[in-house]
Amino acid sequence: MKKRLTLLLTVMVSVGLAQAEPVNQTHTINKRYLIWPVQRQAKGMKPDCRFFLYMDDALFTFADVQLPQGKPDFWVFTDLSGHQGKVLRIQSDLHGDYRAAFQKVTLSNTVPGMRSVYHEALRPQYHFTSKRGWLNDTNGMTYYAGEWHLFYQHNPYNWHWCNISWGHAVSNDLLHWEELPDAIVPGPEGVIYSGSGAVDFHNHAGFQTGSDKAMIAAYTGNGLLSYELGLNRVQCLSYSNDRGRTWTKYSGNPVIENQYNAKDRDPKIFWYQPSQHWVMIDWENRGWYHINISEDMKNWAETGAYKSGGAECPDMFEMPVDGDWNNTRWVVWSGNGRYKVGSFDGRSFTEETDVQQSYWGQAYAGQTFSHAPDGRHIHMGWLRYDKPGFDAGHVGMPFNQQLTLPLDFTLCTTDSGLRLFIQPIPELQALRDQTRIWTDLTVKAGADPLADVTGTQVEIEAEIDLQTATSIAFNLRGQAVRYSVTQQELDCLGQCLKVAPDHGKIKLHLFLDTTSVEVFVNDGYAYLSAFTLFDGDDHAIGISVEGGSIRVPLLKVHGLKSIWP
Ligand code: FRU
């Protein structure tokens, strides 16, 4: 029996070895992209081939890419804009029949399929998505020199989570985004997990070389997914001296070794002005968030820990209460949208509230921008398809997943204490196209004043006096955002939130895009988000009432323009 097993293993290994075909190809980079044909990756599918890319003989990155054995499902690219003139070497062992596909991996100034980018059937029209590949958490969000920098967990090479890098896009207005080359790509430290960003205005880390301030990214190197064995998750830095256009990993990485367990991750960094030091908050698997401080971002010492909303991706920021900067509190935020309010002395956090939640639904793992002007707290998250198995999303598309709208956070006094309020940023009003307004409407069961309204990118503002109705619904392309007066529950495409009417009224502010609905309730009291796939032909927008009638003093419906070229 043992003999037969050994024989079988020998045959398997030798077949595998016989199939592996080494490739080692060099190109002098004189075009913008390296293009790759790919077969769509199913959930959990491990690509057959791993590619190592070298620039002038130094390792640039490695990527697991599923080449097709026949016709590609779509094409992806490595943006080489920052590497013109260098010598690119691609090294791999092709395990399987990928020779023909590999011959198509080439330098090019165009990417097949790019003529229809942003116009694909399921492309969100005013939510951020990456041109190609998978995205999840927002990372490193920073405002600097008039630009909003958005980074995100990105698999540039396929449709599911893999090869995790920091994708990057910039905007002047928080609405229109220009995608730049990935800022931080996998290397010996492993794949590039989530983290945060800040500008080192006083050059404490010493990375600044010219007149631009150094932008710093703090990220987790997930060594468990490195090509090197025996590594763990560690906290690292990367920096840019050209307003985020090119990034250099700090040669002394990691700045924090693995501390607690194999899940330590997602560093949030910020400057603590009163005692003049940097702070890094790291998430640890048992639900703790550890506080580390440093003068130079390279040497860190732990000063405390706190428990908050339980999930990864911590954020932490100081906010004025009701807009008054003479009366501030700190908010500690978890990636699941739960938070606590309290005080922070630069070394430890003291809570004043239990865990609270104003952010509901499918948005996850978001964060606020560092250095936002006017003391604003603007957050963007990952509006995920989170059904069990994560096995769907933007089905059939060359991209997957999307981000939330940019959200304005404020901290307000309420009858039940200090609470975060969440509103769409007012900048979004610039996307409004055609507005229709109804005043003093009475809507009864069976009547629909919106019967002639259609659209796929729509914003609705409604102030509703619930009167005798038992439930009211906005019907959006065959799906519903329903408020049950009897249950005091808002249901947005299956994502639910308990919310009581305010003096018999409820205010709903809805945003519908190609594959999402977001609802802001009672002037920011709660935010609820949902990813969905609509029936392509159904564009009908409507309102319906059950059990009695409602009065709507003001109802506005806006069309919204696309943010894409
Ligand atoms: C949250 C998360 C982070 C991690 C990243 C990996 O969605 O699990 O904790 O850094 O995603 O992509």
Side-chain angles (χ1 to χ4, degrees):
M1 177 70 187
K2 204 170 157 203
K3 241 184 175 172
R4 268 171 56 196
L5 195 66
T6 320
L7 185 69
L8 186 69
L9 283 174
T10 320
V11 170
M12 280 169 65
V13 168
S14 50
V15 166
L17 283 180
Q19 282 183 345
E21 183 185 340
V23 293
N24 204 355
Q25 211 179 71
T26 53
H27 306 263
T28 299
I29 302 172
N30 57 0
K31 305 220 164 94
R32 175 157 177 198
Y33 303 108
L34 179 68
I35 56 171
W36 309 74
V38 292
Q39 178 193 331
R40 187 180 304 279
Q41 204 175 336
K43 157 91 180 144
M45 171 176 169
K46 179 141 177 30
D48 283 341
C49 305
R50 171 163 289 177
F51 295 88
F52 289 87
L53 305 189
Y54 294 84
M55 296 286 181
D56 290 344
D57 258 335
L59 181 75
F60 166 59
T61 193
F62 68 98
D64 295 336
V65 185
Q66 185 56 49
L67 296 175
Q69 285 185 330
K71 206 170 160 295
D73 288 321
F74 56 98
W75 290 74
V76 296
F77 61 87
T78 314
D79 187 336
L80 300 172
S81 334
H83 301 277
Q84 297 300 303
K86 292 185 191 165
V87 175
L88 168 71
R89 184 160 65 84
I90 310 173
Q91 187 257 309
S92 182
D93 285 319
L94 300 182
H95 291 272
D97 186 10
Y98 296 114
R99 180 174 246 282
F102 182 68
Q103 278 169 0
K104 296 188 182 131
V105 177
T106 181
L107 295 176
S108 171
N109 278 324
T110 53
V111 181
M114 274 297 161
R115 243 180 287 159
S116 56
V117 72
Y118 300 131
H119 299 284
E120 303 93 340
L122 295 184
R123 179 73 73 171
Q125 288 302 313
Y126 60 95
H127 286 78
F128 181 81
T129 48
S130 191
K131 285 180 181 164
R132 285 291 178 269
W134 162 274
L135 67 74
N136 53 293
D137 318 354
T138 53
N139 294 153
M141 314 284 272
T142 307
Y143 176 83
Y144 177 56
E147 288 179 317
W148 301 89
H149 290 262
L150 151 63
F151 303 86
Y152 50 93
Q153 294 278 281
H154 188 207
N155 176 8
Y157 299 110
N158 218 307
W159 195 77
H160 261 300
W161 189 97
C162 196
N163 300 312
I164 286 296
S165 312
W166 277 29
H168 186 193
V170 285
S171 170
N172 297 319
D173 60 3
L174 282 168
L175 302 176
H176 301 89
W177 297 96
E178 181 198 349
E179 195 169 315
L180 299 179
D182 280 2
I184 316 179
V185 293
E189 76 276 52
V191 299
I192 311 301
Y193 266 25
S194 286
S196 58
V199 178
D200 189 4
F201 283 105
H202 301 290
N203 199 21
H204 295 122
F207 293 140
Q208 187 178 329
T209 49
S211 55
D212 280 319
K213 304 294 175 193
M215 291 179 70
I216 314 286
Y219 67 94
T220 300
N222 182 2
L224 301 172
L225 295 178
S226 173
Y227 55 87
E228 282 190 8
L229 297 177
L231 301 182
N232 210 327
R233 290 191 179 151
V234 293
Q235 315 316 323
C236 301
L237 301 180
S238 185
Y239 57 90
S240 168
N241 275 309
D242 56 2
R243 295 168 27 260
R245 271 36 187 197
T246 57
W247 289 81
T248 307
K249 290 178 183 174
Y250 169 45
S251 56
N253 277 339
V255 291
I256 299 190
E257 294 283 356
N258 185 261
Q259 282 176 303
Y260 293 96
N261 58 52
K263 300 249 166 131
D264 292 357
R265 61 184 188 264
D266 306 342
K268 162 71 189 181
I269 49 166
F270 59 91
W271 172 246
Y272 185 71
Q273 179 70 19
S275 38
Q276 303 277 302
H277 59 70
W278 289 90
V279 179
M280 182 191 285
I281 311 294
D282 292 325
W283 181 71
E284 186 226 314
N285 195 26
R286 294 172 308 151
W288 288 94
Y289 302 78
H290 294 268
I291 304 170
N292 301 277
I293 65 170
S294 171
E295 294 192 346
D296 60 3
M297 286 193 264
K298 295 171 175 168
N299 301 288
W300 294 90
E302 188 174 334
T303 59
Y306 60 86
K307 273 203 158 185
S308 179
E312 59 264 91
C313 300
D315 197 357
M316 183 170 185
F317 38 89
E318 188 178 19
M319 299 191 85
V321 175
D322 303 319
D324 176 5
W325 277 101
N326 293 316
N327 178 24
T328 64
R329 294 292 187 286
W330 284 78
V331 173
V332 292
W333 173 270
S334 300
N336 54 13
R338 303 204 175 112
Y339 66 93
K340 282 182 182 173
V341 180
S343 58
F344 180 57
D345 62 5
R347 297 176 152 256
S348 55
F349 172 74
T350 310
E351 67 186 46
E352 283 176 34
T353 66
D354 290 337
V355 174
Q356 304 297 327
Q357 189 164 4
S358 318
Y359 184 96
W360 301 82
Q362 280 164 296
Y364 192 75
Q367 58 177 253
T368 50
F369 284 91
S370 301
H371 318 294
D374 307 321
R376 286 172 78 184
H377 293 85
I378 300 172
H379 168 112
M380 290 173 79
W382 166 31
L383 208 177
R384 60 184 178 167
Y385 175 91
D386 68 348
K387 303 276 158 35
F390 282 94
D391 54 354
H394 290 100
V395 180
M397 298 291 113
F399 67 93
N400 198 2
Q401 310 294 311
Q402 67 192 304
L403 299 185
T404 66
L405 291 173
L407 309 171
D408 255 330
F409 284 6
T410 49
L411 187 62
C412 304
T413 310
T414 70
D415 291 346
S416 38
L418 292 173
R419 295 289 179 270
L420 270 185
F421 274 58
I422 302 180
Q423 289 276 46
I425 55 163
E427 285 88 338
L428 284 161
Q429 293 167 18
L431 298 179
R432 288 177 184 165
D433 196 2
Q434 287 172 345
T435 298
R436 291 179 64 183
I437 300 179
W438 292 259
T439 49
D440 243 340
L441 268 182
T442 296
V443 189
K444 297 195 176 79
D448 184 356
L450 304 187
D452 64 339
V453 178
T454 55
T456 52
Q457 295 144 239
V458 177
E459 177 187 355
I460 302 176
E461 300 174 274
E463 206 184 304
I464 302 164
D465 185 343
L466 295 161
Q467 294 198 330
T468 52
T470 53
S471 91
I472 72 119
F474 282 96
N475 303 306
L476 309 171
R477 308 190 56 196
Q479 301 193 40
V481 173
R482 184 181 309 279
Y483 182 65
S484 160
V485 185
T486 39
Q487 311 279 322
Q488 301 205 336
E489 185 173 78
L490 183 69
D491 176 338
C492 172
L493 282 44
Q495 303 295 318
C496 297
L497 159 72
K498 286 279 179 202
V499 54
D502 185 5
H503 297 92
K505 295 194 181 124
I506 190 142
K507 262 192 177 177
L508 300 177
H509 191 173
L510 282 83
F511 287 84
L512 163 74
D513 199 353
T514 317
T515 54
S516 66
V517 177
E518 283 154 287
V519 188
F520 300 83
V521 189
N522 289 350
D523 297 315
Y525 169 80
Y527 160 75
L528 185 57
S529 55
F531 176 100
T532 195
L533 295 176
F534 292 100
D535 172 355
D537 297 331
D538 185 348
H539 294 176
I541 307 295
I543 186 168
S544 57
V545 174
E546 280 172 27
S549 61
I550 56 170
R551 220 190 115 253
V552 189
L554 185 62
L555 174 66
K556 293 186 187 172
V557 179
H558 313 275
L560 294 173
K561 289 180 279 204
S562 173
I563 60 173
W564 301 121

